[in-house]
Amino acid sequence: MPARNPAQPKATDESIRAVKRTVLGRLYGRAPLPNLVGLDAPLNSIYALLSQTALNNEGNSALILGPRGSGKTSLVQRALSMLSHTNTNKAYHIVHLNGFVHTTDRIALRDIARQLLITQDLEHVLIGSFADAFTYILNLLRSDDESTAIPPVIFVLEEFDLLAQHPKQSLLYTLFDIAQSQQTPIAVLGVTARIDVLDLLEKRVKSRFSHRQIYVHNMASVEEFVQIAREALCIDSSTVSEAFAQQFNKRIEDILTSSTVSQHIEDIFEFGKDVRMLLRAFTLAVSQISIDNPLLNASTVESQFALTNTSAKMKILSSISLLELCLIIAMRSLTQLDISKYNFEMVYDEYKTFMSRHMMAVSAGGAMKIYKKPVALKAFETLVELEIARPALVSVGEGSSVYGRNDLLAGTAAGIRAPKEYRMVQLMLEPMQVVELVSGRVDIPAVIRRWAQQ
C-alpha cells in the first residue's frame, strides 16, 4: 500500500465512506442539498399551499413550471420535508405519480391504491367509471367510524404534460374536481417543463383547475450557480471530525475559485444553466476519495469538466474535411450578417468570395484551392446528414409551413419544389463553437483561422 502523503489530513475508513455517501448522494440527486439557492419565493408558495391542505383541510391545485434542471422536484421534496417537521400530530397521505410511469389512468389508479396502503381487491371497482373508483378508494381511508373525515391527501404529478395526454383526461378531471368542490381535502401539484401545458387540458378539466401557477427560473448569476456546487460538495462535522471537515471544505473552495474550473462553470452556465451537468463533473473526483487521498483532486475535476464541455457533436466535427469546415465558417459569417436562413448558393458564394480575396495568403500558408460547386455541394450535403445544418422552416402558404428533417436530401417534399441548392438551412452551432472547432485543429491555414475568429 502506498504511503499516505503527510500533508493530507487524517481520516478513517468510516469517515471516507460517510463523505462519499453524502456527497455522491447530492450529486446524483438521491439526497437533498442542505440549502436551495435562489428558490425561497417558490418554496414559500409551495409550502403555503401544502400546509393549507394538510393543516386546514383545504382543497388546492397548482402547477409548478420551469425548465429541466431548475429545481422543481427539489422544491416539492423540500416543502414536503418542511411540512413533516411542522405537522407532527395530524395525519395526511402523499401520492407520487409520474407521466413516464403511469401511462394510463388505470395504472395510475392502481398505484394510488398501493401508495395509500389499500389492500382490498379493486377489480370489481375498476369496471365502473374512474371517478367512482377513485371516490371508493378515498372512502377506504376513513376509519371504522363513517362519520370521521377523510385525512388530507397530497398528489404530486411529475411530468404533468404526459398525464394530460391520456384519453379523456379522467385522472386530472377527477383530481381537480374533488380539489375544487372541497369534498375531500386534497392538494394537486403538477410539475412540468412545458410552459404551454394549459393548452393541453380539455375545457372541462381547465374549468376545474385553480389556474395557480408557480414559476421556477434558472439561476440568475454565475455566483448562484457556483453556490449550488458549494452546497453539494461541502460537508459538516456531523459524521467526520471538525478538522477534516474544515480541510475538505477548504479544498472545495480552492477548486471552485481556481481560474480553470471557474471558466468551465461559466461555460456551462452560459450554455444552458443545467445544474445536473454541473454536478456530474465532480462525481469522478468524489468517487476517487480514499484514506490515502481524502481530498478532492483538482486535476481530476478539471479533466472531467473538459470532457463534460465537449459535446458529441464537437467530437464528430473534429474529423471533418477542410472544405466542410470552410462551409461552416461561411454559414457562421452569414449568421453574423443577421441572415438566419441561407441556401447552398449563398453559402458557396460567401466561401468563394473570401477565398478569391485571400487566395495569395492561403497559398502562402498551405496548399489550398477553390473547390468547384459540385464538390462543395457534396460537402454541404454531408453537413446536412450530420445535422450540423438543419433544413429551415419554410412557409408554403397562409398560416402553414413545412419542415422536414432532411428535406435537402429527400428530393421534393410537400410544398417544397426548389432544387436542393436553393433549399434554406440553418447552422446548428453557436459562434463560439465554430471558434473552438477551428482552434482545436492544427492543419488549418492561418488565414482560415483568422476568418473563423472574426
Side-chain angles (χ1 to χ4, degrees), residues 355-366 445-448 450:
M355 294 298 294
S356 300
R357 189 167 61 245
H358 298 85
M359 196 61 188
M360 294 298 295
V362 171
S363 299
V447 66
I448 301 297
R450 288 195 296 270

Side-chain angles (χ1 to χ4, degrees), residues 71-193:
K72 301 184 296 297
T73 302
S74 297
L75 279 170
V76 175
Q77 293 174 349
R78 180 58 57 86
L80 291 174
S81 176
M82 293 168 57
L83 186 64
S84 65
H85 289 87
T86 303
N87 183 16
T88 57
N89 299 322
K90 194 170 183 180
Y92 62 93
H93 300 277
I94 302 174
V95 176
H96 293 272
L97 300 179
N98 192 302
F100 284 128
V101 179
H102 306 95
T103 53
T104 65
D105 290 344
R106 183 177 292 268
I107 295 176
L109 192 62
R110 289 181 181 276
D111 204 39
I112 291 172
R114 180 189 64 82
Q115 295 186 48
L116 294 177
L117 303 179
I118 303 298
T119 58
Q120 296 187 18
D121 185 13
L122 300 176
E123 290 300 327
H124 67 287
V125 179
L126 296 176
I127 298 176
S129 66
F130 182 89
D132 293 340
F134 186 77
T135 304
Y136 175 80
I137 291 175
L138 291 180
N139 287 328
L140 291 177
L141 295 177
R142 298 179 187 271
S143 61
D144 295 335
D145 187 1
E146 291 293 333
S147 62
T148 59
I150 299 175
V153 184
I154 298 172
F155 289 88
V156 180
L157 311 181
E158 296 278 355
E159 305 298 337
F160 181 86
D161 53 301
L162 297 181
L163 295 173
Q165 296 177 21
H166 290 186
K168 298 182 180 180
Q169 300 180 353
S170 300
L171 170 65
L172 300 182
Y173 174 78
T174 304
L175 290 176
F176 288 151
D177 184 57
I178 293 176
Q180 183 194 49
S181 61
Q182 304 290 335
Q183 298 173 358
T184 303
I186 71 171
V188 184
L189 280 181
V191 182
T192 179

Side-chain angles (χ1 to χ4, degrees), residues 172-402:
L172 300 182
Y173 174 78
T174 304
L175 290 176
F176 288 151
D177 184 57
I178 293 176
Q180 183 194 49
S181 61
Q182 304 290 335
Q183 298 173 358
T184 303
I186 71 171
V188 184
L189 280 181
V191 182
T192 179
R194 287 194 58 168
I195 202 72
D196 61 340
V197 68
L198 285 180
D199 296 335
L200 301 177
L201 300 180
E202 296 179 0
K203 185 180 295 185
R204 67 187 186 112
V205 179
K206 197 179 299 185
S207 66
R208 264 66 178 181
F209 176 51
S210 66
H211 290 268
R212 180 183 300 176
Q213 301 177 54
I214 302 173
Y215 292 95
V216 182
H217 303 284
N218 279 322
M219 297 297 102
S221 64
V222 181
E223 290 74 18
E224 291 182 344
F225 209 55
V226 175
Q227 183 60 30
I228 293 177
R230 189 177 289 112
E231 291 286 342
L233 295 170
C234 290
I235 60 175
D236 54 29
S237 57
S238 59
T239 55
V240 298
S241 65
E242 183 71 28
F244 177 71
Q246 290 179 358
Q247 293 187 55
F248 188 88
N249 294 340
K250 183 179 183 304
R251 174 62 64 86
I252 296 296
E253 193 64 32
D254 293 341
I255 292 176
L256 292 178
T257 55
S258 66
S259 58
T260 304
V261 173
S262 297
Q263 183 59 50
H264 284 309
I265 293 178
E266 188 173 347
D267 291 341
I268 295 177
F269 178 80
E270 295 295 339
F271 185 75
K273 300 180 177 65
D274 192 343
V275 174
R276 289 172 292 190
M277 181 184 295
L278 170 66
L279 299 183
R280 277 198 301 266
F282 295 95
T283 54
L284 180 60
V286 174
S287 63
Q288 292 179 348
I289 294 176
S290 63
I291 295 180
D292 298 321
N293 297 287
L295 302 181
L296 257 65
N297 190 308
S299 60
T300 303
V301 175
E302 293 174 2
S303 61
Q304 193 68 15
F305 264 115
L307 291 176
T308 301
N309 291 346
T310 303
S311 64
K313 184 184 296 184
M314 297 300 291
K315 291 180 181 178
I316 294 175
L317 289 176
S318 63
S319 59
I320 62 175
S321 66
L322 187 58
L323 173 59
E324 292 164 347
L325 182 59
C326 288
L327 295 179
I328 290 176
I329 299 174
M331 285 187 276
R332 197 283 309 267
S333 299
L334 292 174
T335 303
Q336 290 180 327
L337 297 174
D338 293 331
I339 303 175
S340 59
K341 301 176 184 178
Y342 25 80
N343 55 33
F344 168 73
E345 291 290 341
M346 299 167 64
V347 174
Y348 184 77
D349 183 67
E350 181 74 16
Y351 158 73
K352 187 176 180 180
T353 301
F354 176 84
M355 294 298 294
S356 300
R357 189 167 61 245
H358 298 85
M359 196 61 188
M360 294 298 295
V362 171
S363 299
M368 191 171 177
K369 62 179 181 180
I370 300 179
Y371 288 90
K372 294 183 179 180
K373 187 176 293 186
V375 179
L377 180 58
K378 294 297 291 184
F380 190 74
E381 291 177 350
T382 300
L383 296 177
V384 175
E385 287 178 340
L386 293 174
E387 297 186 357
I388 305 305
R390 186 186 68 177
L393 194 68
V394 180
S395 299
V396 296
E398 291 187 8
S400 63
S401 58
V402 171

Side-chain angles (χ1 to χ4, degrees), residues 45-55 76 79-80 83 154 187 189:
S45 299
I46 296 172
Y47 173 73
L49 183 144
L50 296 181
S51 61
Q52 288 170 1
T53 299
L55 302 179
V76 175
L80 291 174
L83 186 64
I154 298 172
L189 280 181

